Amino acid sequence: MGAAHALTTILMSHPRDYPDTIQSAETGRPLRRGVKMLTIDAGGVPFTCGQPGWWASLDDPAGQDGQLVYEDNVIWTVARRGAR
């Protein structure tokens, strides 16, 4: 998971001058840039990783209202490969 952690660090440093806050296109709620801990299923074994993006809540595991850009999805792909 070292690669995923390194990518998360890079993305959270706003490489493209990402704004700290955006408005959700779906709900209109404010979304804040941060890393949300998400758990994926890796062959029946839970695997938790930090997913950068804009989130309505970083602390509520049930709250999935968020927005990701391409670079954010790279983290998910690397984490999923690492979990396998």
Side-chain angles (χ1 to χ4, degrees):
M1 177 139 132
H5 177 72
L7 285 172
T8 299
T9 301
I10 291 167
L11 291 175
M12 290 315 299
S13 66
H14 298 277
R16 296 183 187 236
D17 294 323
Y18 293 145
D20 291 328
T21 306
I22 63 172
Q23 186 175 11
S24 170
E26 294 180 15
T27 65
R29 294 171 63 180
L31 304 175
R32 290 179 187 80
R33 186 89 181 145
V35 176
K36 185 175 182 86
M37 298 308 291
L38 298 178
T39 302
I40 60 176
D41 180 274
V45 177
F47 182 81
T48 302
C49 65
Q51 175 62 63
W54 288 270
W55 303 99
S57 172
L58 293 174
D59 301 323
D60 180 6
Q64 298 297 312
D65 189 11
Q67 175 82 33
L68 305 177
V69 292
Y70 172 77
E71 292 90 349
D72 297 332
N73 289 311
V74 171
I75 297 296
W76 187 253
T77 301
V78 170
R80 188 175 46 200
R81 283 185 195 146
R84 289 185 198 160

